[in-house]
Amino acid sequence: MKPAAQDPLAQLTEIRAIMERSSRFISLSGLSGVGAGVVALAGTAIGHAYLQQEYGEQGYLRLFGTSAGERLAALPFLLGLAVAMIVAALLVAAFFTLRRTRRDGLRSMWTAPARRLALALALPLVAGGLFCLKLFVSGAPELVVPGLLVFYGLALLNGSKYTLDEIKYLGLTLVALGLVGLLLPSYGLLLFGAGFGLGHIGYGLLMYNRYERASSTNFTAP
Amino acid sequence: MKYAIHTLNKAFDHRVRLGVMAVLLANESVSFNDLKESLDLTDGNLASHVAALEKAGYVLVSKQFIGKKPNTTYNATAEGKLAFQEHLAALEKLLRG
């Protein structure tokens, strides 16, 4: 039987590491954030192009004044675009996170804390998605972008219990941008790109520099 | 110094047991497989140490079936939480000398 490490400092350090690892999902790669941000920027550009093609130069702004019938005609494309963005972002996130868990020598990335994080994010996101769908259909399309930002930000705050703490600041930033969007509805598309695009990219780069770059250079060093 | 070493709990005198208690304090209720995964252990190794902790009254074992699959979950008892916290405090005291 292997006794516990005699050195109390080593014991305490190991206990702390185990408690951290078993309750938080710390393998989420920063590059996942960068990838999700790039997907969001591309999606924003596609959405903008589509709205300009449907409603002319004013695109997004014209959407506010449309009749219910006109909006419903645009719904399948916009919903499809949203679903495609979510799927693409999740695939990119899974790719980089899987790569990181492999490099860290972990067996699986779908651990108990990962499942808890996914659930903590999914509940507010599904509620927010349905809420915003109703806003769009019922004639308040200008509230959809602020609503998505606020709900997504709150989902991140909720998930921050189960992953590295810094994600809280991304969540707060998105909530703030969403509230700005309530005051400046005409800037919706810009805020969407800034929040989901630049926000994710900034957060991802910060996390990558803070937690991953050092370990990856170790791996390539001769 | 000798006195301080006596305050360390014998039931935690193994890294697997320390690990099990650490996971159970950080998480409310943990399944056998999740526990095995977070500590990177084999079935037999984990089972024997958890049995020792159960005997000491520090861990509560609940066995259920999900369909036909047995599902065992573990919780730290109030006594176990207290004992582990005292153990940690004793370790810290040793460090401070």
Side-chain angles (χ1 to χ4, degrees):
Chain A
M1 211 166 87
K2 203 163 31 159
Q6 282 310 302
D7 179 7
L9 181 61
Q11 270 196 38
L12 280 173
T13 316
E14 195 181 351
I15 289 167
R16 221 168 274 145
I18 289 172
M19 292 175 93
E20 180 83 7
R21 191 153 33 99
S22 71
S23 60
R24 284 170 189 259
F25 181 57
I26 56 174
S27 305
L28 189 64
S29 170
L31 295 179
S32 302
V34 176
V38 171
V39 168
L41 285 180
T44 313
I46 294 171
H48 180 59
Y50 171 78
L51 290 174
Q52 280 199 324
Q53 178 205 315
E54 289 295 297
Y55 302 117
E57 190 87 3
Q58 291 280 302
Y60 181 71
L61 293 181
R62 268 285 323 277
L63 194 64
F64 297 171
T66 47
S67 67
E70 277 179 298
R71 269 200 314 285
L72 284 180
L75 188 59
F77 181 87
L78 294 176
L79 258 188
L81 179 62
V83 171
M85 282 162 72
I86 294 169
V87 171
L90 284 177
L91 284 178
V92 172
F95 171 78
F96 284 115
T97 301
L98 198 61
R99 204 179 68 152
R100 185 173 171 200
T101 42
R102 291 239 175 89
R103 219 173 47 199
D104 291 349
L106 300 172
R107 251 184 248 150
S108 148
M109 75 171 195
W110 198 233
T111 55
R115 291 194 295 270
R116 253 175 268 154
L117 173 64
L119 191 66
L121 291 175
L123 286 178
L125 287 182
V126 169
L130 294 175
F131 198 93
C132 291
L133 187 61
K134 175 68 182 159
L135 286 178
F136 185 86
V137 174
S138 304
E142 72 279 8
L143 294 181
V144 168
V145 165
L148 290 174
L149 285 164
V150 168
F151 272 103
Y152 186 70
L154 292 176
L156 291 182
L157 280 178
N158 194 38
S160 67
K161 294 193 288 279
Y162 303 115
T163 183
L164 291 167
D165 241 12
E166 285 90 337
I167 208 164
K168 230 172 24 191
Y169 301 111
L170 178 60
L172 288 172
T173 307
L174 291 183
V175 172
L177 286 175
L179 296 179
V180 170
L182 288 181
L183 299 174
L184 304 167
S186 53
Y187 288 88
L189 266 188
L190 275 180
L191 290 168
F192 187 93
F196 288 103
L198 303 181
H200 274 124
I201 292 174
Y203 161 81
L205 287 177
L206 178 91
M207 297 301 278
Y208 184 73
N209 276 326
R210 194 172 279 182
Y211 296 103
E212 290 165 77
R213 215 174 50 177
S215 63
S216 69
T217 46
N218 279 347
F219 270 81
T220 51
Chain B
M1 203 60 184
K2 196 175 177 194
Y3 169 73
I5 283 183
H6 278 287
T7 59
L8 291 180
N9 193 329
K10 275 302 263 185
F12 302 132
D13 194 16
H14 192 284
R15 49 186 300 279
V16 172
R17 294 185 201 166
L18 281 177
V20 169
M21 290 308 291
V23 173
L24 292 183
L25 255 76
N27 303 274
E28 198 47 45
S29 171
V30 181
S31 74
F32 186 85
N33 284 332
D34 287 340
L35 197 54
K36 198 175 72 175
E37 204 171 68
S38 14
L39 296 171
D40 203 12
L41 296 170
T42 60
D43 284 24
N45 199 357
L46 177 58
S48 69
H49 287 293
V50 171
L53 288 169
E54 188 188 6
K55 219 175 130 198
Y58 293 162
V59 168
L60 190 70
V61 182
S62 11
K63 290 189 174 149
Q64 290 155 332
F65 280 85
I66 298 179
K68 278 184 179 166
K69 266 171 64 187
N71 181 49
T72 309
T73 55
Y74 301 97
N75 298 71
T77 61
E79 198 188 342
K81 284 179 185 167
L82 189 68
F84 190 66
Q85 270 149 8
E86 276 168 3
H87 183 76
L88 291 185
L91 281 174
E92 268 164 19
K93 210 168 160 193
L94 267 180
L95 272 185
R96 274 187 258 116

